[in-house]
Amino acid sequence: MARTVWNSTVGKKTVMAVSGLIMLLYLVVHMIGNLKIFFGAGEFNHYAHWLRTVGEPFMHYEWTLWLVRIVLVAAVVAHAVSAYQLSRRDIRARPTKYVHRKARASYATRTMRWGGIILALFIVWHVLDLTTGTVHSGGFQEGHPYQNVVDTFSTWYGNVIYIVAMLAVGLHVRHGFWSAAQTLGAGSRSRDRALKTTANVLALVLTAGFIAVPVGVMTGVVS
């Protein structure tokens, strides 16, 4: 039954919707945590340490954090695979382009695929920069996330990469949230306006919240 559901277009869209909502929930929590940087190094570093001790003593050190990471990786992989397969299925169903060249979809809709690729590349860079320190500038300091964030956003390319990626997040969320609601049966003629408004607000708040951090470093508010 699971294989039959996965092989269907509806099944793949459902996987995309559920995995997308999981990632959206993570983004909201992650953004709130990021904004703690405006309360100083002590509070931000303490928050980062707390993430590794959640659930103790029942859970060992970093177990909860690794559980969250595993769920996120599974969601990202499921989302990407289903998106790719749906895209290939769509191309096979319509091998020739439409006669009408005028775009009828919104900008966010037309850039969902490119936005997904940008975000996938960004996730790799972000992990290598602030989690493993592999590509970090200024000397990565284990256990000092505040300083590591300041180091990253003290470089022009760190700011450009992050801001472009967050703009892509906003566009992705704006269209993805509404699409997920339709796929999961939450959409209707009477609720469409509310769902689209919610999608727009979520996209705006997430984009502004994430971009606030590099802007804070660039302006000296965070230093």
Side-chain angles (χ1 to χ4, degrees):
M1 183 179 293
R3 186 177 183 85
T4 301
V5 172
W6 170 248
N7 287 334
S8 69
T9 298
V10 173
K12 293 183 189 299
K13 286 185 176 181
T14 302
V15 170
M16 275 196 72
V18 173
S19 59
L21 291 176
I22 290 173
M23 290 186 287
L24 177 59
L25 176 62
Y26 168 77
L27 285 173
V28 172
V29 175
H30 189 42
M31 180 201 69
I32 294 172
N34 280 2
L35 293 176
K36 288 182 177 291
I37 200 167
F38 290 100
F39 294 95
E43 182 156 346
F44 190 72
N45 290 340
H46 177 70
Y47 165 70
H49 175 72
W50 172 81
L51 289 175
R52 289 159 173 75
T53 60
V54 173
E56 288 186 341
F58 179 75
M59 300 289 281
H60 284 280
Y61 184 75
E62 286 195 343
W63 276 20
T64 302
L65 184 59
W66 274 106
L67 182 62
V68 172
R69 287 170 175 169
I70 291 170
V71 171
L72 278 174
V73 169
V76 169
V77 171
H79 198 77
V81 171
S82 54
Y84 174 77
Q85 292 183 356
L86 283 169
S87 176
R88 298 304 301 172
R89 184 171 293 184
D90 183 53
I91 291 173
R92 286 196 299 268
R94 181 75 187 187
T96 58
K97 295 182 178 180
Y98 289 100
V99 175
H100 299 286
R101 294 185 178 182
K102 185 177 180 180
R104 297 181 178 180
S106 68
Y107 185 78
T109 303
R110 301 198 306 274
T111 57
M112 283 294 282
R113 292 171 187 171
W114 283 110
I117 294 172
I118 290 172
L119 292 177
L121 294 174
F122 168 75
I123 289 171
V124 174
W125 175 81
H126 196 51
V127 170
L128 293 176
D129 179 35
L130 293 176
T131 301
T132 66
T134 307
V135 298
H136 185 74
S137 60
F140 184 77
Q141 300 181 49
E142 185 70 37
H144 295 83
Y146 182 93
Q147 189 57 51
N148 293 332
V149 169
V150 172
D151 288 343
T152 292
F153 297 131
S154 294
T155 63
W156 67 268
Y157 59 86
N159 290 310
V160 170
I161 292 173
Y162 193 85
I163 292 174
V164 169
M166 293 308 102
L167 292 174
V169 164
L171 290 173
H172 218 73
V173 168
R174 180 170 177 257
H175 178 68
F177 179 82
W178 185 83
S179 296
Q182 302 304 309
T183 298
L184 297 177
S188 68
R189 183 173 296 179
S190 61
R191 290 194 292 263
D192 273 357
R193 178 174 294 182
L195 288 171
K196 288 181 178 179
T197 300
T198 303
N200 289 335
V201 171
L202 275 172
L204 180 62
V205 170
L206 285 172
T207 303
F210 279 116
I211 290 180
V213 177
V215 170
V217 175
M218 285 188 288
T219 57
V221 175
V222 177
S223 62

